Amino acid sequence: MKITTQGRNNGIQWTLTTQLDDLDFADDIALLSHNNRQMQDKTSHLELTSTQTGLKINTKKTELMKLNTAVNTPITVARASIREVDSFTYLGSVIDKEGGTENDVKARIGKTRAAFIMLKNIWSSKCICLNTKLRIFN
């Protein structure tokens, strides 16, 4: 990723003197740009760099979210348009166009509910002592 963004000033202004080009963790990357042309340039350069190292961008898993723009020109990878979304999950957090945390909190509550439902047999078991149940809960 460093090679893709090195020497280019096409991220978002982070501080007075620095720009934030991307967020990357393990196999997830979130590219950031101010305009459509910069995003296509960055995506094309990432595709070229990836190909040189034997990697390929999976267009079925790649998503694009545009904010505050009327530009409808699609961003493409390997001659395929990247699917535009209104929200996506990055490192377990929901990022959406509205910018708030409401959808993220709802998703986290839903995951917690699902985890508690899976433990229903433990909570109702007469064979497991209260101390063990409290340790599981914590």
Side-chain angles (χ1 to χ4, degrees), residues 20-38:
L20 185 62
D21 290 306
D22 64 89
L23 304 172
D24 38 326
F25 181 81
D27 62 347
D28 287 335
I29 299 173
L31 298 177
L32 308 169
S33 288
H34 270 296
N35 61 50
N36 204 64
R37 182 189 52 75
Q38 288 178 347

Side-chain angles (χ1 to χ4, degrees), residues 32 39 47 92 97 100-101 119 126 135:
L32 308 169
M39 182 55 74
E47 181 182 21
K97 282 188 174 186
T101 58
L119 297 171
K126 303 289 186 205
R135 287 179 55 208

Side-chain angles (χ1 to χ4, degrees), residues 4-104:
T4 302
T5 59
Q6 190 173 21
R8 297 169 183 264
N9 290 324
N10 59 1
I12 60 171
Q13 200 66 37
W14 188 246
T15 66
L16 190 59
T17 58
T18 60
Q19 290 190 335
L20 185 62
D21 290 306
D22 64 89
L23 304 172
D24 38 326
F25 181 81
D27 62 347
D28 287 335
I29 299 173
L31 298 177
L32 308 169
S33 288
H34 270 296
N35 61 50
N36 204 64
R37 182 189 52 75
Q38 288 178 347
M39 182 55 74
Q40 181 62 65
D41 178 53
K42 192 177 284 188
T43 305
S44 298
H45 200 262
L46 176 64
E47 181 182 21
L48 176 66
T49 306
S50 299
T51 303
Q52 291 172 350
T53 59
L55 299 173
K56 182 179 174 185
I57 297 173
N58 186 335
T59 55
K60 293 177 183 171
K61 292 183 179 180
T62 305
E63 298 174 336
L64 170 72
M65 184 170 67
K66 293 181 181 179
L67 300 174
N68 302 326
T69 184
V71 176
N72 291 327
T73 308
I75 302 296
T76 59
V77 173
R79 293 185 221 106
S81 294
I82 296 176
R83 180 172 47 104
E84 288 192 38
V85 295
D86 291 331
S87 68
F88 65 94
T89 303
Y90 183 71
L91 299 179
S93 295
V94 177
I95 313 295
D96 66 7
K97 282 188 174 186
E98 302 302 316
T101 58
E102 187 175 335
N103 289 336
D104 187 38

